[in-house]
Structures are given as structure tokens and as C-alpha cells.
Amino acid sequence: MPVEELNPADESAVVALWEAAGLTRPWNDPGADFRRALAGPSSTVLGVRDGASLVGAAMVGDDGHRGWLYYLGVAPAHHGRGVGRCLVEAAQSWLAARGVAKVLLMVRRENDAARGFYAALGFNEEDVAVFGRRVGAP
Ligand SMILES: CC(C)(COP(=O)(O)OP(=O)(O)OC[C@H]1O[C@@H](n2cnc3c(N)ncnc32)[C@H](O)[C@@H]1OP(=O)(O)O)[C@@H](O)C(=O)NCCC(=O)NCCS
């Protein structure tokens, strides 16, 4: 299954895909995230097409130490056909080519389907707490 790096013309399709996959949140701007990932030297967005339709996408980035995977989503009608696996494997290849040794990702604890998917792909749940803070908040 061919996986390709997306380009700016894919923005509306990728945002629609991420919305259909339930990955967007009101406080994030997925279009801005997409443009930023394409513009930066250490990140990209990978996609799988079925004909002219985008059916899966994932953002991958190298933070200088580890790799991170974000916004992995497959169009609901294409679940269970190996699209998600291909995207995760392509993201790992993209990171490995940059000398990154480990990939991390965050999954909401209640997202049992995604947790099952990543376990099936050989990912382990790490015994760490993730801390977060709005940058610039008082
Ligand atoms: C999670 C998601 C990306 C999986 O994509 P997909 O294309 O349906 O998955 P694949 O067909 O590539 O499945 C790959 C493997 O995972 C397994 N798998 C998938 N979901 C699973 C689950 N809930 N439990 C156990 N195994 C699962 C499949 O059986 C398959 O195994 P195989 O390759 O040995 O046959 C997709 O369901 C999705 O877009 N979900 C909504 C968005 C989301 O939650 N994204 C993750 C946010 S962090």
C-alpha cells in the first residue's frame, strides 16, 4: 500500500479525514497544524489514497531526540484494511532514516480501540506520567 508525503493541496481533505476520525478538538486548528508540519524541516504528514480519495493520514515529527506520531486517522469505511498499520510503519521508516531510535505517541486512556491497535503493532504502554501546560498561561 503506497504511503506518500502530503502536500499543501491536501489540506481540506486531511482536515475532513481527521474530523471524521474524531481526532480534532475545538482548541486545536488542524489546518494550521497541517501547514506547520509540512513547513517545518523536522516533520511531515503521511497519507494513503484510494484513487483520488485520501483514506488515511498521520503526522510524524522528530523533536531532536525522539520521534512523535500525531493525528493518525483512517476513514471509517476503510478501517481494518491495514491502512493504519502502513502509516505507522511508514512513519517509523521516516524517523529511522533520520537516526531517531524511538517513537512515542499519546492516546486518550478511554480510546480502547486505538490502544488495542497500537498493542497489536508491538507498542508498549510506557510507565510514565505525561505533564502538560498551556505555554504562556499564568
Ligand atoms: C486506530 C486506527 C488508526 C486503526 O486503523 P486501521 O487501518 O483500521 O487498522 P489496521 O487495519 O491497519 O490494523 C492493524 C492491526 O491492528 C489490529 N487492530 C486494529 N484495531 C484493533 C483493536 N481495537 N484491538 C486489537 N487489535 C486491533 C488489526 O487486527 C490489525 O492486525 P493485523 O495487521 O495483525 O491483521 C483507526 O481505527 C482510526 O482511525 N481510529 C480513529 C482515530 C484514532 O483513534 N486514532 C488514534 C489516535 S491516537
Side-chain angles (χ1 to χ4, degrees):
M1 190 176 296
V3 178
E4 59 189 89
E5 291 200 32
L6 299 184
N7 54 65
D10 292 309
E11 181 175 331
S12 58
V14 81
V15 170
L17 176 73
W18 286 341
E19 284 172 349
L23 295 172
T24 54
R25 295 290 179 272
W27 52 88
N28 289 333
D29 177 344
D33 286 346
F34 176 71
R35 293 191 296 276
R36 190 158 187 241
L38 259 52
S42 306
S43 53
T44 193
V45 180
L46 303 171
V48 170
R49 299 183 204 275
D50 179 24
S53 302
L54 188 67
V55 298
M59 182 182 293
V60 59
D62 163 9
D63 70 8
H65 179 45
R66 297 190 176 93
W68 284 89
L69 191 59
Y70 301 93
Y71 278 116
L72 171 68
V74 174
H78 291 262
H79 282 186
R81 298 180 183 177
V83 176
R85 176 186 280 280
C86 282
L87 284 163
V88 173
E89 288 175 355
Q92 289 177 89
S93 298
W94 188 92
L95 291 166
R98 296 168 162 263
V100 177
K102 188 169 185 179
V103 61
L104 297 172
L105 57 95
M106 290 186 276
V107 177
R108 286 173 193 280
R109 212 165 273 290
E110 66 272 17
N111 192 345
D112 290 330
R115 291 170 69 185
F117 164 79
Y118 285 117
L121 267 59
F123 283 70
N124 300 308
E125 275 198 51
E126 304 268 331
D127 187 19
V128 294
V130 177
F131 286 74
R133 189 178 195 279
R134 289 271 157 200
V135 175

